[in-house]
Amino acid sequence: MDRAKKIKILHLENNGIDAELVAFALKEQSYHVDIYVTDEKDLFCKKLDKEKYDLILMDYDTPELSASDAITLIKAKKIKTPIIIISGPIGYQKTVQLIKQGAFDYVLKENLAGLADTVSRALKEDHHKTDDAKDDDSAALKVTKTGVFRVDIKTGHCLSMNGPLCQMLGYTKEECGDEGWLKCIVSAEKTNFKKEFERNLKSQLPFEMIVRLVTKKSNQIWVRCNCIPEITAEKMEYIGVIVDITHLKKTEDELVNLSMHDVLTGLPNRRSFAEAVQAMVNECERGLLDSFAVFYMDLDRFKTVNDMFGHQCGDELLKQAAARFKSSIRQYDIISRIGGDEFLLVFKHVSSIGEIAFLADNLLNKFRVPFYIGEHECLTTLSIGAVYVHGPIESIDAESIIQKADQALYRAKARGRNCYEIYTDNISHEIQHTAFIENALRHAIAKDELKIFFQPEIDLLKSNIFGFEVLLRWQQPVYGDISPGIFIPIAEESGQMKEIGGWVIDAALNAFENLFSDSAYFRNHNVSLSVNISPMQLLEEDFIDQLIKKMKSKNIVRGRVIFELTETGLIQNVEQLKTQFNHSAANELFFAVDDFGTGYSSFTHLKELPIKIIKIDQSFVQSIQTDANCKNIIKSIITLAKSMDITLIAEGVETQEQVDFLYSNGCHILQGYFFSEAIPLEGLAVYMQNFKI
Ligand code: C2E
Ligand code: CA
Ligand code: CA
C-alpha cells in the first residue's frame, strides 16, 4: 500500500502514552495515519458499525474488552479489516491463539520498530484478499493461501497437494512423489518426524505437528500441519492443512531469546545466569565440579555518566563494559548483565581465595583504563563482591549464592569502590542493607539525625590551625552512627545528595558565622572551614551562584570556606565541571582536590581548574612506613604542587614517623588522628583556645 495514502485506524488501547507511541512509530515510518483511540467497548462497537477502517490495532488486555473478545466481536460483524495486536510479551501460546482467532500478527510494545513492516504486510494481504475474493468467492482456502494435502491412511502415500502448498515448497506433486511434502523436511529431523506422522495416521484421530522444511530454493520455513481423518466406506484418508508459521516461530525465538538475554548487551540475563549457576551447584553436589566463584559487579558512578552525557552514552558505556568483561573471561566462564549497571560473572574451577583475588584485580585493572564514547572520555571503575563455592556443598542454591555476592559487593562499595570484597559468613550479620539506609536517609534531615563535626588541619610551619574539615555524621536511632563512607554513596545513587549536600553547606556556613563571632582565635588566625561536596551538587546549573549568594549573605570572604571535591569525582566530570568553573564567579570560590593520588588525574587537568589545595590521600600517608614507592609518590606530588603554587594537606596522619616524613619533605599542613579526631561544634571554641603545638 502506498505510504502517502492516509490509513484509517481504529486502536483499542487504554494507555494514552502507548497509543501515542504507536502513532509516533507509524508517522516516523512515513505513514499518514488517522487514528481513533478508545478503550470503551460501546464506543469501539459503534465505530466498527459506522466507519470503515483500513486497520484495527489492539492492546492485549484493555480492561473493558480483551483482544480475544474484540476479535470475536469483529468476526461476528463479518468485518474483514486486518487486526494487529500490540502488546507486551504475552507469550507464544496466547499469540497463536489470537492469530488462530483471526488476528493478522502481533508486535511487541517494546519493539515498535517492526510495526511499520507488519502494517504494510497486513495491508498488502488485505489487498490480495479482496482481489482473490473477486476471482473466486468460494475458494476460501486459496484466499488464505493455505496448503492442503491428502494422505492415504493404509499406504501412507500422499495423494494430492494443492497449488498454494506446491508454491510454498517450490515443487510439483510429481516432483515430490508418494512422499509428498514430507520430502522437504530437513534431513536431520526427517526420520523421526515420519515415524511420528505415521503413528498419528494410524490413530485415526485429528492431530497437529510442527516441522521445518527446506524449499526448492533452499529456504528454510517452519510449517504447522493440522490433519483431520476422513473415513467413509470408500476411503480411509486424512485431509491436512499446512500453514507457514516462519514469522511466528521467529517471534517465539525472539521471545525466548528476550527472556534469557539482556537486549542491550546481548549477554545472558539474570534468569539464565541463575540457571547456569544452579547447574554448577548440581555438578558440585555430584562431585563433577570442584569449585567456582560468583562475582557481583557494579560500575562505579555509572549514574553520573548517564545523567551527564545522556542515556545513549550510558548504553554505549554498558556495551563497551560488556565487551571488556567478555574479553576477560575464559570460554566456560559466564558473564551476564542483570540490569542497570550490574553484572554477574561466574568463573569455573577456581583453586583458591588467592585466585579470586587475582581474577578480581585483573578485572579492576581493566576498568582503570578510560572508555571513549564519542568525544567523551569516561572513567568508570568497578566494585566487585565475590563468593567462593568449593568442596562438598550442601543445601545451597544459586539465588543465595548471588545474594551473598551482592552483600560482598555492598561492602566493597562501602569501602570506597574500585575494589573487591570476598564474602565471608559474618558480613551478613553486620550488613546494613542499602534499601534500609536509602529509606531511613529520606527522613534523616527532617528528624534532625544529621550533624556536622570538625576535624582540624594543623599548619606545623606556622604552628596554628589552618582550618577544619567539616565531616557529616548520621546518628541513626536503630543502627547507631552510620559512617558517611557508607551513606554518602547511597545518597548519591538515590538522588538524595542535593538535599543532604545543601543541608551540610547551610550547617557549615551557620557554624562559620557562630565561630567567627564567638572565637577570637578563629577570627584572627584566618581559620577556614572545608566542606566536602559531591559532583552531583556541582552539576546543578546554578550551584556556584547559589553558593556565592549564601557566602555573601553571611559576609564570608573568599578562601575562608573551601570546597573539597574528590579527585575521582573531578576527573569523571572534568568536561562538565570546566564550564561550571569557567563561570566568572567561580573565581570567588576556593576548591580543594580530595583523596589526591587515587584518581589517576594529571596535573594538566588541575591547571585548567581553580584548584588551590590538594589533599594527599590517606592511603599514601598510611603506607609511608611500609612502602618505599609511596614515599616517592608523595615526594613527587609535593614537588609538582609547589611548582604550581598549590597548597598541600596530608590526610590520615596517625604517627610521628608520618609527621616527620611529610614535614621534612615540604608538606606541612597535616590532618589526622595523630592531632585530633573530628570534634562537635560545641567543643571547637575550647579546642582552639587551648591549641598549642
Ligand atoms: P574524606 O573527605 O577523605 O574525609 C576524611 C575521612 O578520614 C573522615 O572519615 C575522617 O574521619 C577520616 N580520618 C581522619 N583522620 C584519620 C586518620 O588519622 N586515620 C584514619 N584511618 N582516618 C582518618 P569520615 O568522616 O568517615 O568520612 C568519610 C568520607 O565521607 C569522607 O572522606 C568524605 O568523602 C565523605 N564525606 C563526609 N562528609 C561529607 C559531606 O558532608 N559531603 C560529602 N559529599 N561527603 C562527605
Ligand atoms: Ca574530604
Ligand atoms: Ca579525603
Side-chain angles (χ1 to χ4, degrees):
M1 185 165 205
D2 178 9
R3 291 202 181 188
K5 201 180 143 207
K6 199 164 228 172
I7 310 168
K8 216 169 150 194
I9 300 175
L10 180 59
H11 190 181
L12 178 65
E13 169 66 87
N14 64 323
N15 182 326
I17 294 175
D18 285 351
E20 266 174 42
L21 284 174
V22 165
F24 181 76
L26 286 170
K27 283 176 194 157
E28 204 181 36
Q29 317 252 355
S30 323
Y31 273 109
H32 289 266
V33 286
D34 168 13
I35 308 185
Y36 185 85
V37 184
T38 178
D39 63 342
E40 290 171 36
K41 186 177 174 181
D42 289 347
L43 212 53
F44 185 75
C45 291
K46 215 155 102 195
K47 284 283 170 188
L48 282 178
D49 291 338
K50 289 209 169 142
E51 314 261 333
K52 186 167 172 5
Y53 290 96
D54 299 309
L55 190 64
I56 299 172
L57 304 176
M58 53 180 72
D59 185 15
Y60 177 68
D61 50 3
T62 306
E64 273 194 26
L65 192 60
S66 73
S68 171
D69 291 345
I71 296 174
T72 312
L73 222 149
I74 292 166
K75 297 291 155 193
K77 289 182 190 291
K78 303 221 177 327
I79 295 171
K80 299 244 168 62
T81 311
I83 302 163
I84 297 174
I85 313 290
I86 300 181
S87 188
I90 56 179
Y92 176 58
Q93 295 291 338
K94 290 176 181 166
T95 321
V96 173
Q97 190 53 45
L98 292 176
I99 288 170
K100 269 187 186 162
Q101 258 189 278
F104 173 77
D105 206 343
Y106 138 87
V107 177
L108 278 176
K109 273 184 185 171
E110 287 76 15
N111 190 11
L112 289 176
L115 177 62
D117 261 358
T118 314
V119 167
S120 102
R121 274 194 294 113
L123 295 176
K124 237 188 243 157
E125 188 96 337
D126 189 40
H127 193 58
H128 285 311
K129 255 190 206 171
T130 25
D131 287 354
D132 284 352
K134 262 184 230 143
D135 293 341
D136 178 4
D137 260 352
S138 63
L141 290 177
K142 194 175 160 206
V143 170
T144 52
K145 296 204 181 305
T146 309
V148 180
F149 64 95
R150 285 184 173 275
V151 193
D152 186 293
I153 293 183
K154 271 197 203 137
T155 60
H157 291 171
C158 180
L159 302 172
S160 68
M161 283 163 44
N162 75 343
L165 180 52
C166 294
Q167 263 168 27
M168 203 187 289
L169 305 174
Y171 291 109
T172 61
K173 167 72 181 72
E174 287 65 43
E175 284 174 305
C176 292
D178 288 341
E179 233 185 339
W181 64 273
L182 300 185
K183 172 188 155 73
C184 301
I185 294 172
V186 289
S187 49
E189 290 157 31
K190 199 166 182 174
T191 321
N192 282 342
F193 185 90
K194 277 180 96 172
K195 250 192 225 158
E196 184 72 16
F197 188 77
E198 276 162 20
R199 219 167 44 88
N200 280 329
L201 289 183
K202 298 227 163 72
S203 76
Q204 301 186 9
L205 295 170
F207 65 89
E208 177 183 295
M209 292 177 84
I210 289 177
V211 72
R212 222 166 356 146
L213 306 180
V214 183
T215 67
K216 194 171 189 174
K217 286 187 178 156
S218 301
N219 292 328
Q220 283 209 7
I221 57 169
W222 281 95
V223 296
R224 185 180 58 229
C225 85
N226 284 85
C227 300
I228 304 164
E230 272 191 2
I231 299 170
T232 60
E234 295 87 48
K235 60 180 182 188
M236 282 183 72
E237 291 175 6
Y238 262 90
I239 176 161
V241 169
I242 291 213
V243 182
D244 183 340
I245 55 161
T246 312
H247 72 285
L248 264 187
K249 226 16 206 174
K250 247 203 222 143
T251 320
E252 181 194 32
D253 290 348
E254 270 164 20
L255 284 176
V256 171
N257 208 27
L258 265 183
S259 63
M260 296 305 274
H261 284 87
D262 162 45
V263 184
L264 181 69
T265 59
L267 296 179
N269 64 13
R270 184 184 178 118
R271 194 177 123 203
S272 61
F273 184 85
E275 279 175 15
V277 170
Q278 191 57 49
M280 287 186 199
V281 169
N282 299 345
E283 280 180 43
C284 279
E285 277 170 351
R286 283 186 283 139
L288 301 172
L289 179 68
D290 50 356
S291 60
F292 63 90
V294 171
F295 283 22
Y296 204 126
M297 301 176 292
D298 185 302
L299 303 182
D300 301 329
R301 317 262 174 237
F302 171 73
K303 199 173 168 298
T304 322
V305 173
N306 224 14
D307 290 348
M308 276 178 342
F309 301 131
H311 288 285
Q312 255 177 346
C313 276
D315 284 355
E316 182 54 34
L317 177 64
L318 290 172
K319 280 194 220 160
Q320 289 191 22
R324 233 176 243 193
F325 282 127
K326 267 197 240 165
S327 70
S328 319
I329 60 173
R330 298 159 303 182
Q331 211 180 354
Y332 42 87
D333 302 326
I334 301 168
I335 172 77
S336 111
R337 174 169 171 250
I338 58 168
D341 58 343
E342 292 187 339
F343 292 82
L344 277 168
L345 207 172
V346 59
F347 287 108
K348 252 180 159 176
H349 305 295
V350 176
S351 63
S352 64
I353 294 272
E355 192 178 341
I356 293 188
F358 172 80
L359 293 166
D361 267 332
N362 188 26
L363 283 171
L364 292 178
N365 282 333
K366 288 225 160 152
F367 278 77
R368 283 181 183 133
V369 181
F371 289 93
Y372 293 94
I373 293 160
E375 73 265 28
H376 305 300
E377 179 183 315
C378 308
L379 193 75
T380 310
T381 53
L382 202 63
S383 296
I384 305 175
V387 176
Y388 187 31
V389 183
H390 60 109
I393 56 165
E394 275 167 50
S395 61
I396 184 163
D397 59 28
E399 273 312 319
S400 62
I401 294 173
I402 293 172
Q403 231 171 43
K404 286 177 178 175
D406 189 14
Q407 290 179 7
L409 169 64
Y410 177 74
R411 273 214 142 184
K413 287 206 237 172
R415 254 185 47 202
R417 292 147 198 261
N418 189 12
C419 63
Y420 66 88
E421 270 288 331
I422 300 170
Y423 177 88
T424 54
D425 271 326
N426 59 359
I427 67 170
S428 60
H429 304 304
E430 61 180 79
I431 197 119
Q432 291 141 2
H433 202 268
T434 314
F436 172 83
I437 293 186
E438 197 182 311
N439 235 339
L441 202 50
R442 293 194 195 282
H443 313 290
I445 293 181
K447 291 187 178 166
D448 211 15
E449 293 167 0
L450 297 181
K451 213 175 164 191
I452 46 173
F453 276 62
F454 301 78
Q455 186 176 34
E457 298 154 328
I458 311 297
D459 189 337
L460 290 181
L461 205 63
K462 295 187 181 154
S463 299
N464 64 13
I465 301 168
F466 171 83
F468 291 97
E469 176 171 13
V470 176
L471 291 165
L472 188 54
R473 296 285 172 266
W474 180 17
Q475 290 152 340
Q476 214 287 323
V478 178
Y479 278 83
D481 289 355
I482 301 181
S483 154
I486 289 183
F487 72 81
I488 297 271
I490 295 173
E492 282 176 341
E493 299 253 324
S494 61
Q496 301 183 67
M497 206 49 225
K498 183 182 160 197
E499 198 191 351
I500 292 174
W503 181 89
V504 172
I505 291 170
D506 291 342
L509 297 188
N510 287 338
F512 186 95
E513 211 177 16
N514 289 339
L515 290 167
F516 199 83
S517 72
D518 296 351
S519 162
Y521 188 101
F522 190 83
R523 253 191 330 269
N524 301 337
H525 287 85
N526 267 332
V527 180
S528 62
L529 289 187
S530 194
V531 181
N532 290 287
I533 55 174
S534 141
M536 310 283 162
Q537 291 170 266
L538 245 182
L539 293 175
E540 308 262 316
E541 234 176 77
D542 60 344
F543 181 75
I544 300 230
D545 291 332
Q546 290 289 336
L547 214 51
I548 291 168
K549 227 196 236 161
K550 283 181 183 175
M551 304 252 298
K552 282 200 173 134
S553 76
K554 299 212 177 294
N555 293 322
I556 301 173
V557 298
R558 199 168 171 248
R560 288 298 288 270
V561 175
I562 296 157
F563 298 94
E564 291 188 15
L565 259 176
T566 63
E567 187 191 20
T568 344
L570 200 71
I571 290 311
Q572 279 175 354
N573 306 306
V574 77
E575 289 308 319
Q576 274 61 32
L577 295 185
K578 259 188 217 163
T579 48
Q580 283 273 12
F581 285 128
N582 281 341
H583 192 304
S584 56
N587 281 327
E588 301 272 315
L589 302 174
F590 271 52
F591 289 93
V593 185
D594 203 357
D595 302 347
F596 190 79
T598 57
Y600 306 89
S601 68
S602 61
F603 272 82
T604 43
H605 269 139
L606 297 182
K607 257 200 214 152
E608 297 168 10
L609 304 171
I611 302 298
K612 301 284 191 293
I613 294 173
I614 284 175
K615 299 187 88 166
I616 304 175
D617 188 61
Q618 31 184 293
S619 61
F620 293 107
V621 174
Q622 277 154 20
S623 303
I624 285 174
Q625 282 116 306
T626 52
D627 188 343
N629 198 26
C630 269
K631 286 190 186 175
N632 289 331
I633 293 174
I634 294 178
K635 278 187 199 165
S636 48
I637 295 177
I638 295 173
T639 317
L640 279 163
K642 287 218 157 123
S643 74
M644 289 172 66
D645 204 23
I646 287 179
T647 305
L648 270 176
I649 301 179
E651 295 186 303
V653 180
E654 293 182 355
T655 67
Q656 183 68 53
E657 216 179 324
Q658 291 162 356
V659 174
D660 293 344
F661 174 80
L662 289 161
Y663 188 72
S664 63
N665 281 287
C667 174
H668 51 84
I669 306 179
L670 309 181
Q671 172 188 357
Y673 298 157
F674 182 79
F675 302 98
S676 168
E677 290 191 10
I679 310 163
L681 182 62
E682 308 82 77
L684 277 193
V686 177
Y687 177 82
M688 285 187 274
Q689 214 172 358
N690 298 337
F691 178 78
K692 56 177 186 299
I693 200 93

